Amino acid sequence: MNEDRAESESSFFFHHANIEVRMNKVFLPLTQLVFGGKSDEQLLKIIQGVICHMNGIALDLITISEYQWPGHKCLLDAYLDLLIES
């Protein structure tokens, strides 16, 4: 795998891993619980935003490891607090 590409140059790993189904199994019930009044489209945007933010946290912790970041749980909790308050 190179740059999220599977063996074929035109195919991405994402297309082969049932990511959307797995993502919805985990995040959709939680998102519906917290943001019950939102439309399906809004819930999907929230889920995608949370996943992007989690990837950003992981990226920063790994690639800028010399910086004294708070722990990953603290960073995620701070983001979720902001999300829920908005």
Side-chain angles (χ1 to χ4, degrees):
M1 194 162 81
N2 184 20
E3 295 181 6
D4 280 345
R5 291 193 186 268
E7 293 177 17
S8 166
E9 279 299 314
S10 63
S11 180
F12 289 91
F13 170 74
F14 182 86
H15 296 135
H16 302 281
N18 291 326
I19 297 295
E20 187 174 0
V21 171
R22 294 166 64 192
M23 177 177 73
N24 285 334
K25 277 185 181 177
V26 173
F27 290 101
L28 187 57
L30 298 171
T31 307
Q32 288 171 324
L33 185 65
V34 176
F35 300 99
K38 303 284 187 185
S39 70
D40 289 346
E41 183 178 319
Q42 291 169 315
L43 291 172
L44 179 60
K45 287 179 183 178
I46 292 168
I47 291 169
Q48 291 171 340
V50 169
I51 290 172
C52 285
H53 196 83
M54 289 184 341
N55 282 325
I57 289 171
L59 177 69
D60 286 348
L61 291 173
I62 293 167
T63 62
I64 314 171
S65 59
E66 64 278 359
Y67 185 78
Q68 295 298 311
W69 299 103
H72 66 280
K73 289 181 182 179
C74 181
L75 292 168
L76 185 57
D77 285 346
Y79 171 68
L80 293 175
D81 288 343
L82 288 171
L83 179 66
I84 292 169
E85 291 172 8
S86 63

